Structure formats: C-alpha cells, structure tokens
Amino acid sequence: QVQLVESGGGLVQTGGSLRLSCVASGRTLSTYAMGWFRQAPGKGREFDAAISQSGNLTSYADSVKGRFTISRDNNKNMVYLEMNSLKPEDTGVYYCAAGGYYNVRSPRSWAYWGQGTQVTVSS
C-alpha cells in the first residue's frame, strides 16, 4: 500500500517547461514501478512515461519522447516528470501511479494513483 501526492503543475506558455514531482508515503517507493499519465479535457487517461523499480528501464509515449524525462530518487521516495517544449495539447491533469512494471501504457495495469496536478499550456 502506498499513497501518492503530485505537485509542480501550473500555467506555462507554449515552449515552456515544468517539473512535476510525486512523493510516496506508506510502503517504500523502491518496491514499485512508477508512471505518469495525463487526462486532457474530454479525454481518457493517457500514458506519458514509466520507470522500473530500480530506474534501469523507462518507457515513453511517442507524443512525449524527446521532450519529457521520467526519473526517480528512491532514497527520497520521489518520482519526477520533467516536461520541456510544452505544447497546448499537453494540457491536462497529470497523475502519478505505482504498480508493477508490466503493460505500463495501460492505466488498468497500475494499482495506486495520486490526486493529480493541473498542467495548462497556453496557445
């Protein structure tokens, strides 16, 4: 069991950057793979990135590859999503998730979710 809290969202202009953070409490973060998903207005939850328990494996959606970087610091029970070259279509609520590193692109594969943090990219 783990509790997740995201932070770092905000309003940025096209081309700007944000760094999202997710802190875990409860069971140590190192036992979980971690992921980031977005939910844009009127759309379902969509995969952005995932990282394995040790951090040696990562996966990215094609739409964010080369722009976003997922990382983790297990000593701090933290996972991060650095977002660069932001586009208006990146707007949405961003959620971190914890679970096993398996079928990571599907939100159904993840056991635990944070409350989300809003990211708005102005056009």
Side-chain angles (χ1 to χ4, degrees), residues 50-112:
I51 188 166
S52 62
Q53 289 89 333
S54 65
N56 65 324
L57 297 173
T58 58
S59 182
Y60 295 93
D62 289 342
S63 61
V64 308
K65 193 172 295 183
R67 299 191 298 123
F68 291 10
T69 302
I70 188 170
S71 61
R72 66 190 301 157
D73 186 340
N74 288 339
N75 291 328
K76 296 181 179 179
N77 282 344
M78 298 285 290
V79 63
Y80 308 96
L81 185 68
E82 185 170 355
M83 307 185 296
N84 300 311
S85 301
L86 284 162
K87 307 172 182 179
E89 51 263 45
D90 294 320
T91 293
V93 178
Y94 282 70
Y95 300 88
C96 66
Y101 198 74
Y102 184 78
N103 289 337
V104 297
R105 297 182 67 186
S106 173
R108 299 179 182 90
S109 300
W110 298 88
Y112 304 101

Side-chain angles (χ1 to χ4, degrees), residues 2-6 22-25 29 34 96-98 112-115:
V2 65
Q3 296 79 45
L4 307 172
V5 179
E6 304 95 333
C22 177
V23 63
S25 61
L29 188 66
M34 299 296 297
C96 66
Y112 304 101
W113 295 88
Q115 85 291 343

